[in-house]
Amino acid sequence: MLHERPDGSLVEVDVRIPPQAERVVLLDNGLGTPHEYWDWVCAALPPDMGYVKFNRPGYGLSSSAAGYGLEQHFTLLQELRETFTGDLPLVLAGHSLGGYLVAAYASRHPGAARGVTSVVMVDATDVAHLRSSRRSEVDRWSRQSMLMERAYAMAGVAAFRPALNKSETYRQEINRSSRAFLAEPRTWALAHRDYRDAMTYPELTSLDLPLTVVTAENNQGDNDAHRVVQARMATLSERSRHRFVEGSDHETILSVQVFAEQVAEAIADEPPAGRADGESGQAAGDRPAEENGGTGEELTSA
């Protein structure tokens, strides 16, 4: 489905709000991933919960936008809510960079928190940590990887060796759509742009809404450091919870059905009323600082 914006540009959206819906979740994607990555999550949502998911300008079938940045993204989120969710209570949920974006929108865009019942950050990007890793070996590897994937796409071989969803864990139609998305050179050009831009985004300092942080157990970099960063996100709100999805990593937390169902449960749960410790294992923030390991985080998780 294509949504026409006031300027005539188009945004690819997938909307399902059943007649019995009592609430809606607006889902924001990670860096370089299509809205189809939420497929297992959406399938596991309860019958009283609708959803809106979309591709940011330039990705998939969405029109390109020159100079697209943080404020423009906030405007798009506001427009999508006003167009599709009506007066229904709203949950904001995002994966990776999308987790940062929905929390930043809720805390920084005027009036955005009105009608929002909770924010869910799924293995979300910490932009301050991302910025501190600039010019590191991992940063250079991340940039080079995105440039190489663009080259593979331009050469026409990306469809035969997808960078993501290599095990094709979704339904076949979603696997095909995802493969086509990753085979587009502009997907990787935009991912590289968004990665650079994310390093300039302001750090999140507080969130006056209930917050659930959902963390993948495994990280391509230092697991302990990743958990420390994720635990710190849970301190953004005085009403928060922190959950771990055991056995998952940054991608499979959405792409493997059993893990995605746990994410759907976190989205649909009652919002936290107070601050709680980590669930499904010890929270990284509960460990002594000397046990938390290094500072490297998987930068491709932006």
Side-chain angles (χ1 to χ4, degrees):
M1 173 180 175
L2 293 175
H3 162 66
E4 185 172 355
R5 306 194 67 191
D7 64 0
S9 63
L10 303 174
V11 173
E12 184 180 5
V13 297
D14 182 16
V15 180
R16 183 181 181 275
I17 303 178
Q20 72 272 28
E22 298 178 1
R23 50 195 175 143
V24 181
V25 58
L26 177 57
L27 299 160
D28 209 333
N29 313 329
L31 183 79
T33 57
H35 70 70
E36 285 91 344
Y37 258 57
W38 294 102
D39 188 62
W40 289 131
V41 172
C42 292
L45 293 173
D48 71 341
M49 193 169 208
Y51 63 79
V52 178
K53 52 193 177 82
F54 65 100
N55 282 333
R56 292 195 280 277
Y59 289 99
L61 300 179
S62 295
S63 304
S64 297
Y68 190 75
L70 198 58
E71 293 301 326
Q72 291 87 346
H73 192 70
F74 292 166
T75 299
L76 175 58
L77 291 176
Q78 187 69 28
E79 180 184 323
L80 292 174
R81 336 175 23 176
E82 292 173 355
T83 302
F84 297 109
T85 69
D87 296 327
L88 290 171
L90 183 69
V91 175
L92 296 169
H95 171 242
S96 194
L97 183 59
Y100 166 84
L101 290 171
V102 293
Y105 163 71
S107 62
R108 300 180 65 88
H109 190 66
R114 191 179 307 116
V116 175
T117 59
S118 67
V119 174
V120 181
M121 302 174 75
V122 183
D123 220 44
T125 300
D126 183 318
V127 295
H129 188 73
L130 187 69
R131 190 157 46 244
S132 71
S133 302
R134 191 169 187 177
R135 296 188 177 89
S136 69
E137 183 177 345
V138 178
D139 175 43
R140 288 191 292 271
W141 177 84
S142 298
R143 293 170 185 267
Q144 183 178 358
S145 295
M146 285 181 275
L147 291 173
M148 289 302 298
E149 290 300 334
R150 185 184 184 191
Y152 293 144
M154 293 175 69
V157 299
F160 303 103
R161 44 149 314 281
L164 301 173
N165 192 28
K166 295 176 183 178
S167 300
E168 297 196 329
T169 51
Y170 291 100
R171 295 179 292 116
Q172 272 309 108
E173 62 186 271
I174 301 300
N175 290 331
R176 286 194 296 269
S177 177
S178 172
R179 199 159 50 240
F181 179 90
L182 296 172
E184 281 289 335
R186 75 170 182 170
T187 293
W188 297 101
L190 291 169
H192 190 255
R193 179 204 67 184
D194 291 347
Y195 176 81
R196 296 195 315 268
D197 289 351
M199 289 196 172
T200 70
Y201 291 164
E203 182 178 358
L204 297 173
T205 56
S206 64
L207 181 64
D208 192 21
L209 284 167
L211 170 65
T212 298
V213 174
V214 184
T215 298
E217 181 185 26
N218 300 310
N219 182 58
Q220 194 170 27
D222 187 313
N223 276 341
D224 285 337
H226 182 65
R227 291 186 179 205
V228 170
V229 170
Q230 293 285 301
R232 189 164 59 236
M233 289 183 190
T235 67
L236 290 171
S237 173
E238 293 296 326
R239 294 168 288 168
S240 68
R241 67 167 64 97
H242 188 187
R243 294 183 172 181
F244 292 93
V245 179
E246 296 181 0
S248 70
D249 60 32
H250 186 71
E251 182 183 1
T252 61
I253 199 169
L254 295 187
S255 67
V256 171
Q257 185 174 5
V258 67
F259 300 150
E261 288 170 350
Q262 295 177 59
V263 174
E265 181 181 1
I267 290 171
D269 270 356
E270 285 295 316
R275 184 173 292 175
D277 292 331
E279 302 173 32
S280 300
Q282 185 184 28
D286 294 338
R287 300 185 184 127
E290 62 269 23
E291 295 180 11
N292 284 332
T295 59
E297 185 184 9
E298 180 187 4
L299 297 188
T300 50
S301 69

